[in-house]
Amino acid sequence: MKYKRNIVITGGAGFIGSHVVRLFVNKYPEYHIINIDKLTYAGNLANLIDIENKSNYKFVKMDICDIDAFYRLMQEEHVDGIIHLAAESHVDRSIKEPFTFVRTNVIGTLSLLQAAKLCWESQSEKYEGKRFYHISTDEVYGALEMTHPEGIDSPFTTVASSGTRHEAYGEDFFLETTKYNPHSPYSASKASSDHFVRAFHDTYGMPTIVTNCSNNYGPYQFPEKLIPLFINNICHRKPLPVYGKGENVRDWLYVEDHARAIDLIFHKGKVAETYNIGGFNEWKNIDIVKLIIKTVDRFLGRPEGADLDLITYVTDRPGHDVRYAIDSRKLQIELGWEPLLQFEEGIEKTVKWYLENEAWMDNVTSGDYQAYYDNMYKNR
Ligand code: NAD
Ligand code: TYD
């Protein structure tokens, strides 16, 4: 069958990538969706079991640093769109092994850009109808201060010029124009990849878009990140390691709201633009931890707050950014996107999903999912 578009999604076996793949495969039967993923510890094809047999979907195991393999795939599949999510994504790992982050996030992104450039420039229509969309993080902007207007307790309510009211822990927000100031090896590697993507537009005219999103949560997130790790630990009554005093603030967005934004921006976003994506939803870590404990205890029929004593304050993460808060008005006003889920509702849905998908969690925490796919690919 000839498809209307042939789109590569990188990192589609990971957390956000799997939601994006699912959305595109189901919503656009006229598109061919090619998921390329190296299947690192964070990649799990079980995340896509419900769509793996769809005729418009294909999985290719590939390292994004393999420029020759990616160039061949671009040619063979007539790829006209790339949505790039593959990355090393965990700050704590980046502190231990920064080179892995430079390899995948910087060299990998550059390899995709270079292969796409060579392929598209060799075609008569060149960049027409093409798109290279790079998914990035708000962490590239660095950390914001916790500042409150005098006499007002934090969090306080602010009203954006769009009329949206939201709770905030400080007066500043990350804008698309905020200067990059990354602090962790993870955010430094993502910042570098963002710069390469923009450089390929400015230098070669490649039709690129970059988006910077706040912290995501929801089903299929690897349990090294705060929310799934803590849900799992509460279930097994294991300690909950809260870094420092638990006062750090993150701006949380339900993963399906991010996937909807990616869909909208891929189709309607302006080339060479940057869009910030976030839910105006700031929470202190410790407040999230208490909300998760309350929700898990309620679902498991434990007395409310029974597991509060699992909270264990541990040594802070080195270079721990104090506060992230995204101003996503550009996306809301220009493209009409807004998050659909309130945080309490999203946490309820998320906790329920992890409790109902115990087998997924057990597979991931035991590492069995990797042995299964390693064998599958060895036998091919
Ligand atoms: P994840 O760690 O869950 O998934 C990453 C995926 O990339 C995995 O499937 C992994 O196998 C794959 N991958 C890693 N190295 C690869 C390589 N060399 N070649 C091919 N595939 C490789 O990450 P995530 O949380 O889903 O994040 C996806 C993207 O979104 C990342 O670029 C991240 O920086 C960005 N982002 C994440 C968040 C968040 O809160 N999780 C927020 C904003 C932006
Ligand atoms: P995380 O989910 O790792 O995302 P990021 O570092 O990209 O924001 O962490 C979210 C917040 O939770 C961050 O402030 C660090 C904190 N945290 C803990 O306090 N304990 C933990 O065990 C983890 C994983 C994170």
Side-chain angles (χ1 to χ4, degrees), residues 228-284:
L229 174 72
F230 279 31
I231 294 173
N232 193 40
N233 283 12
I234 297 165
C235 290
H236 296 95
R237 291 196 197 273
K238 289 209 265 185
L240 308 174
V242 174
Y243 299 159
K245 294 186 181 143
E247 301 256 292
N248 301 62
V249 170
R250 297 289 181 267
D251 177 355
W252 293 89
L253 183 69
Y254 191 67
V255 63
E256 287 178 4
D257 279 328
H258 189 189
R260 280 191 310 103
I262 291 173
D263 175 18
L264 184 67
I265 293 161
F266 178 75
H267 289 97
K268 302 263 168 65
K270 278 201 213 118
V271 162
E273 289 289 325
T274 297
Y275 298 90
N276 278 351
I277 310 173
F280 285 119
N281 178 43
E282 293 180 49
W283 282 71
K284 280 190 179 173

Coordinates of all heavy atoms in Angstrom, one line a residue, residues 228-284:
P228 N 6.5 6.6 39.1 CA 6.4 5.1 39.1 C 7.2 4.4 40.2 O 6.8 3.4 40.7 CB 6.8 4.7 37.7 CG 7.6 5.9 37.2 CD 7.1 7.1 37.8
L229 N 8.4 5.0 40.4 CA 9.3 4.4 41.5 C 8.6 4.3 42.8 O 8.5 3.3 43.5 CB 10.6 5.1 41.6 CG 11.6 4.7 42.7 CD1 12.2 3.3 42.4 CD2 12.7 5.7 43.0
F230 N 8.0 5.5 43.1 CA 7.3 5.6 44.5 C 6.1 4.8 44.5 O 5.8 4.2 45.6 CB 7.1 7.1 44.8 CG 8.4 7.8 45.3 CD1 9.6 7.4 44.9 CD2 8.3 8.8 46.3 CE1 10.8 8.0 45.4 CE2 9.4 9.4 46.8 CZ 10.7 9.0 46.4
I231 N 5.3 4.7 43.4 CA 4.1 3.9 43.4 C 4.5 2.4 43.7 O 3.9 1.7 44.6 CB 3.3 3.9 42.1 CG1 2.8 5.4 41.9 CG2 2.2 2.9 42.0 CD1 2.1 5.6 40.5
N232 N 5.5 2.0 43.0 CA 6.0 0.6 43.2 C 6.5 0.3 44.6 O 6.2 -0.7 45.2 CB 7.1 0.3 42.2 CG 7.4 -1.2 42.0 OD1 6.5 -2.0 42.1 ND2 8.6 -1.5 41.9
N233 N 7.3 1.3 45.1 CA 7.8 1.1 46.5 C 6.7 1.1 47.5 O 6.8 0.3 48.5 CB 8.8 2.2 46.8 CG 10.2 2.0 46.1 OD1 10.3 1.1 45.2 ND2 11.2 2.8 46.5
I234 N 5.7 1.9 47.3 CA 4.6 1.9 48.3 C 3.9 0.6 48.3 O 3.7 0.0 49.4 CB 3.6 3.1 48.1 CG1 4.3 4.4 48.2 CG2 2.4 3.0 49.0 CD1 3.5 5.6 47.6
C235 N 3.7 0.0 47.1 CA 3.0 -1.3 47.0 C 3.8 -2.3 47.8 O 3.2 -3.1 48.5 CB 2.9 -1.7 45.6 SG 1.8 -0.8 44.6
H236 N 5.1 -2.3 47.7 CA 6.0 -3.3 48.4 C 6.5 -2.8 49.7 O 7.4 -3.4 50.3 CB 7.1 -3.7 47.4 CG 6.7 -4.3 46.2 ND1 6.5 -3.6 45.0 CD2 6.3 -5.6 45.9 CE1 6.0 -4.5 44.1 NE2 5.9 -5.7 44.6
R237 N 5.9 -1.7 50.2 CA 6.3 -1.1 51.5 C 7.8 -1.0 51.6 O 8.5 -1.3 52.6 CB 5.8 -2.0 52.6 CG 4.3 -2.0 52.8 CD 3.9 -2.5 54.2 NE 2.5 -2.9 54.3 CZ 1.5 -2.1 54.6 NH1 1.8 -0.8 54.9 NH2 0.3 -2.5 54.7
K238 N 8.4 -0.4 50.5 CA 9.8 -0.1 50.5 C 10.0 1.4 50.8 O 9.2 2.2 50.5 CB 10.5 -0.5 49.2 CG 10.5 -2.0 48.9 CD 11.7 -2.3 48.0 CE 11.5 -2.5 46.7 NZ 12.1 -2.9 45.6
P239 N 11.2 1.8 51.3 CA 11.4 3.2 51.6 C 11.3 4.1 50.4 O 11.6 3.7 49.2 CB 12.9 3.3 52.1 CG 13.2 1.9 52.5 CD 12.4 1.0 51.7
L240 N 10.8 5.4 50.6 CA 10.7 6.3 49.5 C 11.8 7.4 49.6 O 11.7 8.3 50.5 CB 9.3 7.0 49.6 CG 8.1 6.0 49.7 CD1 6.8 6.8 49.9 CD2 8.0 5.2 48.4
P241 N 12.8 7.3 48.8 CA 14.0 8.2 49.0 C 13.7 9.6 48.4 O 13.9 9.8 47.2 CB 15.1 7.5 48.2 CG 14.4 6.7 47.1 CD 13.0 6.3 47.7
V242 N 13.3 10.5 49.3 CA 13.1 11.9 48.9 C 14.4 12.6 49.0 O 15.0 12.7 50.1 CB 12.0 12.5 49.8 CG1 11.9 14.0 49.5 CG2 10.7 11.8 49.7
Y243 N 14.8 13.2 47.9 CA 16.1 14.0 47.8 C 16.0 15.3 48.6 O 15.0 16.0 48.4 CB 16.5 14.3 46.4 CG 16.8 13.1 45.5 CD1 16.7 13.2 44.1 CD2 17.0 11.8 46.0 CE1 16.9 12.1 43.3 CE2 17.2 10.7 45.2 CZ 17.2 10.9 43.8 OH 17.4 9.8 43.0
G244 N 17.0 15.6 49.4 CA 17.1 16.8 50.2 C 15.8 16.9 51.1 O 15.5 16.0 51.8
K245 N 15.2 18.1 51.0 CA 14.0 18.3 51.9 C 12.7 18.1 51.2 O 11.6 18.3 51.7 CB 14.0 19.8 52.4 CG 15.2 20.0 53.3 CD 15.0 21.4 53.9 CE 16.2 21.8 54.8 NZ 16.6 23.2 54.8
G246 N 12.8 17.7 49.9 CA 11.6 17.4 49.1 C 10.9 18.7 48.7 O 9.7 18.7 48.3
E247 N 11.6 19.8 48.7 CA 11.0 21.1 48.4 C 11.1 21.5 47.0 O 10.6 22.5 46.6 CB 11.8 22.2 49.3 CG 11.7 22.0 50.7 CD 10.7 22.9 51.4 OE1 11.0 24.0 51.5 OE2 9.7 22.3 51.9
N248 N 11.9 20.7 46.2 CA 12.1 21.1 44.8 C 10.7 21.0 44.0 O 9.9 20.2 44.3 CB 13.1 20.1 44.1 CG 14.4 20.2 44.8 OD1 14.5 19.8 46.0 ND2 15.4 20.6 44.1
V249 N 10.6 21.9 43.1 CA 9.3 22.1 42.4 C 9.5 21.6 40.9 O 10.4 22.0 40.2 CB 8.8 23.5 42.4 CG1 7.6 23.8 41.5 CG2 8.5 23.9 43.9
R250 N 8.5 20.8 40.5 CA 8.5 20.4 39.1 C 7.1 20.7 38.5 O 6.1 20.8 39.3 CB 8.7 18.9 38.9 CG 10.1 18.5 39.4 CD 11.2 19.0 38.4 NE 12.6 18.6 38.7 CZ 13.4 19.3 39.4 NH1 13.0 20.5 39.9 NH2 14.7 19.0 39.6
D251 N 7.0 20.9 37.2 CA 5.7 21.3 36.6 C 5.3 20.0 35.8 O 6.0 19.6 34.8 CB 6.1 22.5 35.6 CG 4.9 22.9 34.8 OD1 3.8 22.3 34.9 OD2 5.1 23.9 34.1
W252 N 4.2 19.4 36.2 CA 3.9 18.0 35.7 C 2.8 18.0 34.6 O 1.8 18.7 34.8 CB 3.5 17.1 36.9 CG 4.6 16.9 37.8 CD1 4.9 17.6 38.9 CD2 5.6 15.8 37.7 NE1 6.1 17.1 39.5 CE2 6.5 16.0 38.8 CE3 5.8 14.7 36.9 CZ2 7.5 15.1 39.1 CZ3 6.8 13.9 37.1 CH2 7.7 14.1 38.2
L253 N 3.0 17.2 33.6 CA 2.0 17.1 32.5 C 1.7 15.6 32.3 O 2.7 14.8 32.2 CB 2.6 17.7 31.3 CG 1.8 17.8 30.0 CD1 0.6 18.7 30.3 CD2 2.6 18.2 28.8
Y254 N 0.4 15.3 32.1 CA 0.1 13.9 31.8 C 0.6 13.6 30.4 O 0.4 14.3 29.5 CB -1.5 13.7 31.9 CG -1.9 12.3 31.9 CD1 -1.6 11.4 32.9 CD2 -2.6 11.8 30.8 CE1 -2.0 10.1 32.9 CE2 -3.0 10.4 30.7 CZ -2.7 9.6 31.8 OH -3.0 8.3 31.8
V255 N 1.2 12.4 30.3 CA 1.9 12.0 29.0 C 1.0 12.1 27.8 O 1.4 12.5 26.7 CB 2.6 10.6 29.2 CG1 1.5 9.5 29.4 CG2 3.4 10.3 28.0
E256 N -0.3 11.8 27.9 CA -1.2 11.8 26.7 C -1.4 13.2 26.3 O -1.7 13.5 25.1 CB -2.5 11.1 27.0 CG -2.3 9.6 27.0 CD -3.6 8.8 27.3 OE1 -4.7 9.5 27.4 OE2 -3.6 7.6 27.5
D257 N -1.4 14.2 27.2 CA -1.5 15.6 26.9 C -0.2 16.0 26.1 O -0.3 16.8 25.1 CB -1.6 16.5 28.1 CG -3.1 16.5 28.6 OD1 -4.0 16.4 27.8 OD2 -3.3 16.6 29.8
H258 N 0.9 15.5 26.4 CA 2.1 15.8 25.7 C 2.0 15.2 24.3 O 2.3 15.8 23.3 CB 3.4 15.2 26.4 CG 4.7 15.6 25.8 ND1 5.9 15.1 26.2 CD2 5.0 16.5 24.9 CE1 6.9 15.6 25.5 NE2 6.4 16.5 24.7
A259 N 1.6 13.9 24.2 CA 1.5 13.3 22.9 C 0.5 14.0 22.0 O 0.8 14.2 20.8 CB 1.0 11.8 23.1
R260 N -0.6 14.6 22.5 CA -1.5 15.4 21.7 C -0.8 16.7 21.2 O -1.1 17.1 20.1 CB -2.8 15.7 22.5 CG -3.8 14.6 22.6 CD -5.1 15.2 23.2 NE -5.0 15.9 24.4 CZ -5.0 17.2 24.5 NH1 -5.3 18.0 23.5 NH2 -4.8 17.8 25.7
A261 N 0.0 17.2 22.1 CA 0.7 18.4 21.7 C 1.7 18.1 20.5 O 1.8 18.9 19.6 CB 1.5 19.0 22.9
I262 N 2.3 17.0 20.6 CA 3.3 16.6 19.6 C 2.6 16.4 18.3 O 3.0 16.8 17.2 CB 4.1 15.3 20.0 CG1 5.0 15.6 21.2 CG2 4.8 14.7 18.9 CD1 5.7 14.4 21.8
D263 N 1.4 15.8 18.3 CA 0.6 15.6 17.1 C 0.3 16.9 16.5 O 0.5 17.2 15.3 CB -0.7 14.8 17.5 CG -1.7 14.6 16.4 OD1 -1.3 14.8 15.2 OD2 -2.8 14.3 16.7
L264 N -0.2 17.8 17.3 CA -0.6 19.1 16.8 C 0.6 19.9 16.2 O 0.5 20.5 15.1 CB -1.2 19.9 18.0 CG -1.8 21.3 17.7 CD1 -3.1 21.2 16.8 CD2 -2.2 22.0 19.0
I265 N 1.7 19.9 16.9 CA 2.8 20.7 16.5 C 3.5 20.1 15.2 O 3.9 20.8 14.3 CB 3.9 20.8 17.6 CG1 3.3 21.6 18.8 CG2 5.2 21.4 17.2 CD1 3.9 21.5 20.1
F266 N 3.5 18.7 15.2 CA 4.0 18.1 14.0 C 3.2 18.5 12.7 O 3.8 18.8 11.7 CB 4.0 16.5 14.1 CG 4.5 15.8 12.9 CD1 5.8 15.7 12.7 CD2 3.6 15.2 12.0 CE1 6.3 15.1 11.5 CE2 4.1 14.6 10.9 CZ 5.4 14.5 10.7
H267 N 1.9 18.6 12.9 CA 1.1 19.0 11.7 C 0.9 20.5 11.5 O 0.9 21.0 10.4 CB -0.3 18.3 11.9 CG -0.3 16.9 11.7 ND1 -0.2 16.0 12.7 CD2 -0.2 16.1 10.5 CE1 -0.2 14.7 12.3 NE2 -0.2 14.8 10.9
K268 N 0.9 21.3 12.6 CA 0.5 22.7 12.5 C 1.6 23.7 12.9 O 1.4 24.9 12.7 CB -0.8 23.0 13.3 CG -2.0 22.1 12.9 CD -2.9 22.9 12.0 CE -4.0 22.0 11.3 NZ -5.0 21.5 12.3
G269 N 2.6 23.1 13.6 CA 3.7 24.0 14.1 C 4.4 24.7 12.9 O 4.5 24.1 11.8
K270 N 5.0 25.9 13.2 CA 5.7 26.6 12.2 C 7.2 26.1 12.2 O 7.8 26.0 13.2 CB 5.7 28.1 12.5 CG 4.5 28.7 12.0 CD 4.7 30.3 11.8 CE 3.5 31.0 12.2 NZ 3.6 32.0 13.3
V271 N 7.7 25.9 11.0 CA 9.1 25.5 10.8 C 10.0 26.5 11.5 O 9.7 27.7 11.4 CB 9.5 25.3 9.3 CG1 11.0 25.3 9.1 CG2 8.8 24.0 8.8
A272 N 11.1 26.0 12.1 CA 12.1 26.8 12.8 C 11.7 27.4 14.1 O 12.4 28.1 14.8 CB 12.6 28.0 11.9
E273 N 10.4 27.1 14.5 CA 9.9 27.6 15.8 C 10.3 26.7 16.9 O 10.5 25.5 16.7 CB 8.4 27.8 15.7 CG 8.0 29.0 14.8 CD 8.3 30.3 15.4 OE1 8.2 30.5 16.6 OE2 8.6 31.2 14.6
T274 N 10.2 27.3 18.1 CA 10.3 26.5 19.4 C 9.0 26.7 20.1 O 8.4 27.8 20.1 CB 11.4 27.0 20.3 OG1 12.7 26.8 19.6 CG2 11.5 26.3 21.6
Y275 N 8.4 25.6 20.7 CA 7.2 25.7 21.5 C 7.5 25.1 22.8 O 8.0 23.9 22.9 CB 6.1 25.0 20.8 CG 5.6 25.5 19.5 CD1 6.2 25.0 18.3 CD2 4.7 26.5 19.4 CE1 5.9 25.5 17.1 CE2 4.3 27.0 18.2 CZ 4.9 26.5 17.0 OH 4.6 27.0 15.8
N276 N 7.2 25.8 23.9 CA 7.2 25.2 25.2 C 5.9 24.5 25.5 O 4.8 25.0 25.2 CB 7.4 26.3 26.3 CG 8.8 26.7 26.4 OD1 9.7 26.1 25.9 ND2 9.0 27.8 27.2
I277 N 6.0 23.3 26.1 CA 4.8 22.5 26.5 C 4.8 22.3 28.0 O 5.8 21.7 28.5 CB 4.8 21.1 25.8 CG1 5.1 21.3 24.3 CG2 3.5 20.4 26.0 CD1 5.3 20.0 23.5
G278 N 3.7 22.7 28.6 CA 3.6 22.4 30.1 C 2.2 22.7 30.6 O 1.4 23.3 29.8
G279 N 1.9 22.3 31.8 CA 0.5 22.3 32.2 C 0.2 23.4 33.2 O -0.9 23.4 33.8
F280 N 1.1 24.4 33.5 CA 0.9 25.3 34.6 C 0.5 24.5 35.8 O -0.5 24.8 36.4 CB -0.1 26.4 34.2 CG 0.4 27.4 33.2 CD1 -0.3 27.6 32.0 CD2 1.4 28.2 33.6 CE1 0.2 28.5 31.1 CE2 1.9 29.2 32.7 CZ 1.2 29.4 31.4
N281 N 1.4 23.6 36.2 CA 1.0 22.6 37.2 C 2.2 22.3 38.1 O 2.8 21.3 38.0 CB 0.4 21.3 36.6 CG 0.1 20.3 37.6 OD1 -0.6 20.6 38.6 ND2 0.5 19.0 37.3
E282 N 2.5 23.3 39.0 CA 3.7 23.2 39.8 C 3.4 22.4 41.1 O 2.4 22.8 41.8 CB 4.2 24.6 40.1 CG 4.8 25.3 38.9 CD 5.3 26.7 39.4 OE1 6.0 26.8 40.3 OE2 4.9 27.7 38.7
W283 N 4.3 21.5 41.4 CA 4.1 20.7 42.7 C 5.5 20.6 43.3 O 6.5 20.3 42.7 CB 3.6 19.3 42.4 CG 2.1 19.3 42.2 CD1 1.4 19.8 41.1 CD2 1.1 18.9 43.1 NE1 0.1 19.6 41.2 CE2 -0.2 19.1 42.5 CE3 1.1 18.3 44.4 CZ2 -1.4 18.7 43.1 CZ3 -0.1 17.9 45.0 CH2 -1.3 18.1 44.3
K284 N 5.5 20.7 44.7 CA 6.7 20.3 45.4 C 6.8 18.8 45.5 O 5.7 18.2 45.7 CB 6.6 20.9 46.9 CG 7.0 22.3 47.0 CD 7.1 22.7 48.5 CE 7.5 24.2 48.5 NZ 7.5 24.7 49.8

